[in-house]
Amino acid sequence: LIFILSSGSDPNKELDILADDLNMSDRLKRIALGQGQGKKASSLIEKGMAHGDWVMLQNCHLSISWMPTLEQVCDNMEPDKIHPEFRLWLTSMPSESFPTAVLQNGVKITKEPPKGLRANLKSTYSKLDNDKLRRTNKPKEFMRLLFGLSFYHALVIERKKFGPLGWNIPYEFNDTDMDIT
């Protein structure tokens, strides 16, 4: 499964929720690819295929030199020898160096931030449930703070489409940042 990333998108939260729902949280292994992480990634894939773990290789576009190895690993996978619960999750920005064979054989998923303030606010509020909203003994104040933060989040996400106009430093304020605050 290949997550094609766009600016401001982060599939980690959704994958965590899916892993929780399917009781795979303890079997979800992640590695952020970069310099020297290729051997560790290969090892995780081998162990995952044997034990049925989920393996997430993040930022494949940053490990250009390891991409031929990834293609070879994927080509050498034998369905008869792979645990039925094994999943290989890849995240990458669009890149010329991403192996075409892996891309053609994989399921591609994209996640883009909602377009417009209203859509972004709806998206933020749709992810909340009553339990999350009632965790405080001051619900009225909490709701006001939540709206202010949600509106700020939506504004920053929407503002990115204008590029450097009015913003000196681009910052990818995404759903994970919203959850942390």
Side-chain angles (χ1 to χ4, degrees):
L1 299 158
I2 305 163
F3 285 105
I4 311 283
L5 302 175
S6 63
S7 180
S9 68
D10 183 11
N12 281 304
K13 181 180 177 188
E14 284 80 7
L15 186 58
D16 287 337
I17 292 169
L18 179 64
D20 282 340
D21 290 347
L22 300 176
N23 296 320
M24 293 293 289
S25 295
D26 56 334
R27 294 170 56 193
L28 174 59
K29 313 297 183 204
R30 298 173 205 242
I31 188 166
L33 292 178
Q35 240 177 353
Q37 298 298 317
K39 287 183 182 177
K40 291 179 185 178
S42 295
S43 175
L44 275 178
I45 293 170
E46 285 179 34
K47 289 176 186 173
M49 287 191 298
H51 300 111
D53 294 336
W54 287 6
V55 178
M56 182 176 200
L57 306 181
Q58 297 174 299
N59 303 321
C60 292
H61 60 282
L62 299 178
S63 188
I64 295 169
S65 62
W66 190 72
M67 288 298 100
T69 306
L70 174 65
E71 183 173 18
Q72 193 174 34
V73 166
C74 291
D75 284 344
N76 293 335
M77 287 183 180
E78 295 178 35
D80 300 343
K81 297 180 181 178
I82 297 175
H83 194 284
E85 292 182 354
F86 169 73
R87 298 291 181 274
L88 179 59
W89 305 86
L90 307 171
T91 69
S92 179
M93 296 290 279
S95 171
E96 295 282 330
S97 63
F98 198 88
T100 306
V102 176
L103 195 59
Q104 288 174 342
N105 292 324
V107 176
K108 280 110 11 227
I109 304 167
T110 61
K111 180 179 183 275
E112 294 185 12
K115 303 254 187 273
L117 288 175
R118 172 180 261 177
N120 203 305
L121 283 169
K122 278 185 172 183
S123 173
T124 298
Y125 275 92
S126 70
K127 295 174 188 167
L128 300 172
D129 58 9
N130 287 332
D131 293 336
K132 291 179 182 175
L133 296 174
R134 293 188 178 133
R135 284 189 203 171
T136 180
N137 56 1
K138 295 184 179 183
K140 192 173 185 179
E141 291 84 356
F142 177 73
M143 291 293 213
R144 287 180 179 167
L145 285 171
L146 179 64
F147 177 77
L149 183 62
S150 299
F151 188 78
Y152 176 73
H153 175 259
L155 189 65
V156 171
I157 295 293
E158 185 66 18
R159 186 70 182 120
K160 281 194 291 188
K161 74 178 180 185
F162 296 108
L165 297 174
W167 293 64
N168 293 334
I169 301 170
Y171 178 69
E172 294 186 14
F173 192 74
N174 56 35
D175 289 342
T176 307
D177 295 317
M178 177 67 179
D179 292 339
I180 290 171
T181 54

